[in-house]
Amino acid sequence: MLSTQIATAAHVTLASTLATSTQGPARTLLHAPALPVLKSDAAANQRASQHVAETLKLLIEKLAPQRRVVHAGDLVYQGGESFGHLYVMTSGFFKLVNLSADGREQVVGLKFRGDWLGFDGIANGRYACDAVAMDTGEVLVIRYDALFAACAAQPALMTALHEAMSREIARDRDSLMSVCTLPADARVADFLRYWAESLARRGLRSDQITLRMTRAEIGNYLGMTLETVSRSLSKLARAGVIVFAEKGRRDVQIPDVDALSEFIQHCLAPASPVLQ
């Protein structure tokens, strides 16, 4: 859990620092890591979706947790609140928001079906962030002491808990790498790819997504200005990688998720025509 907290804190610091540095043209990266362009694996997505369903079934059968329905803007828990429960999402989309000492809000995490909320409260006995619903959804409310006791008798529960913690650490690392190493356009493309792939791994439609965040919130999460996010989205649209709905511009069609990976590679390539 210390690794998760360190990664989250680093994400917040770097995002705030980079918010002003990305207002101009994308930075030239001398040692940017090459991102693999992997073709979508329908079988892997199906296995991941099945695993999410099995984990939710296990938690419901072994712990009989309370179900809580939330709506857009509802708080699942608030930073500073005493820790006592973990929450597992069965539907909906959620964001984690950290409040800095000077009052600034920073989006530090995005959560989808099957993800857990509340790990940030274990170490110090208080939640460190606000967990906010971005649309109508449902969470399983699990008492931490009951889960901890049940894990001793049910190794499958312990495995599910460890897997959830590991995924959160890995996602924090990937998010930090994106903020640190990718230029603006590639960062937005990577954000869309993550959103689409997260939906696909949960058995949900990924060729057309509804962004549950404003441009300002996306910029806040990625360490960019609203204007830079808008320019990057427009560039993706001109390149044919994404297509906007006629109105609203929150509904985004992604004809080929792999094209987002290729776009990122072009952004990192020297003298890339995508950046001209």
Side-chain angles (χ1 to χ4, degrees):
M1 288 315 303
L2 179 59
S3 299
T4 303
Q5 293 176 337
I6 291 174
T8 301
H11 181 118
V12 173
T13 301
L14 284 166
S16 300
T17 302
L18 291 173
T20 55
S21 65
T22 53
Q23 296 180 19
R27 294 171 297 157
T28 300
L29 302 180
L30 300 180
H31 303 288
L35 298 177
V37 179
L38 301 176
K39 294 300 178 183
S40 299
D41 190 335
N45 288 336
Q46 185 175 6
R47 290 193 299 271
S49 177
Q50 181 64 28
H51 183 65
V52 169
E54 291 173 352
T55 300
L56 292 174
K57 181 181 178 181
L58 174 69
L59 293 171
I60 292 170
E61 289 180 348
K62 301 301 182 183
L63 297 171
Q66 173 191 351
R67 292 175 180 266
R68 177 180 167 190
V69 175
V70 294
H71 304 281
D74 287 352
L75 284 170
V76 179
Y77 57 80
Q78 191 168 15
E81 182 182 323
S82 295
F83 169 78
H85 298 83
L86 292 174
Y87 303 84
V88 183
M89 300 167 48
T90 61
S91 63
F93 303 88
F94 296 73
K95 62 183 177 181
L96 297 179
V97 181
N98 186 75
L99 187 64
S100 66
D102 60 2
R104 289 177 294 109
E105 290 188 349
Q106 176 72 44
V107 180
V108 295
L110 302 175
K111 301 296 181 179
F112 300 83
R113 180 175 183 266
D115 286 341
W116 295 51
L117 302 168
F119 288 141
D120 56 312
I122 294 177
N124 297 320
R126 293 188 179 277
Y127 298 108
C129 303
D130 294 349
V132 186
M134 291 192 285
D135 67 345
T136 299
E138 182 190 68
V139 294
L140 303 178
V141 183
I142 300 173
R143 287 185 57 86
Y144 181 66
D145 55 359
L147 172 63
F148 197 77
C151 284
Q154 300 287 339
L157 287 175
M158 180 67 78
T159 298
L161 179 62
H162 285 167
E163 286 179 350
M165 290 179 171
S166 178
R167 282 194 300 270
E168 182 158 319
I169 293 172
R171 177 54 196 162
D172 285 346
R173 177 203 61 205
D174 292 343
S175 180
L176 184 63
M177 285 293 293
S178 176
V179 170
C180 289
T181 64
L182 296 182
D185 295 337
R187 214 179 302 171
V188 173
D190 188 54
F191 167 79
L192 293 175
R193 179 178 64 176
Y194 167 67
W195 195 295
E197 289 180 347
S198 295
L199 295 178
R201 286 194 295 269
R202 289 154 176 84
L204 302 173
R205 182 177 180 179
S206 60
D207 63 329
Q208 180 167 322
I209 64 177
T210 299
L211 295 176
R212 306 291 176 176
M213 304 169 70
T214 65
R215 301 290 191 271
E217 287 176 320
I218 294 172
N220 181 279
Y221 179 60
L222 297 178
M224 300 163 57
T225 65
L226 180 155
E227 293 78 11
T228 303
V229 171
S230 295
R231 285 196 297 269
S232 295
L233 288 171
S234 296
K235 184 174 290 188
L236 283 163
R238 289 196 301 272
V241 180
I242 63 174
V243 179
F244 287 111
E246 293 183 3
K247 296 180 179 180
R249 297 180 69 83
R250 282 204 180 191
D251 292 327
V252 178
Q253 295 177 9
I254 303 177
D256 182 5
V257 174
D258 296 313
L260 288 168
S261 296
E262 294 169 2
F263 183 91
I264 296 169
Q265 291 282 14
H266 281 302
C267 289
L268 296 176
S272 170
V274 174
L275 296 178
Q276 294 177 353

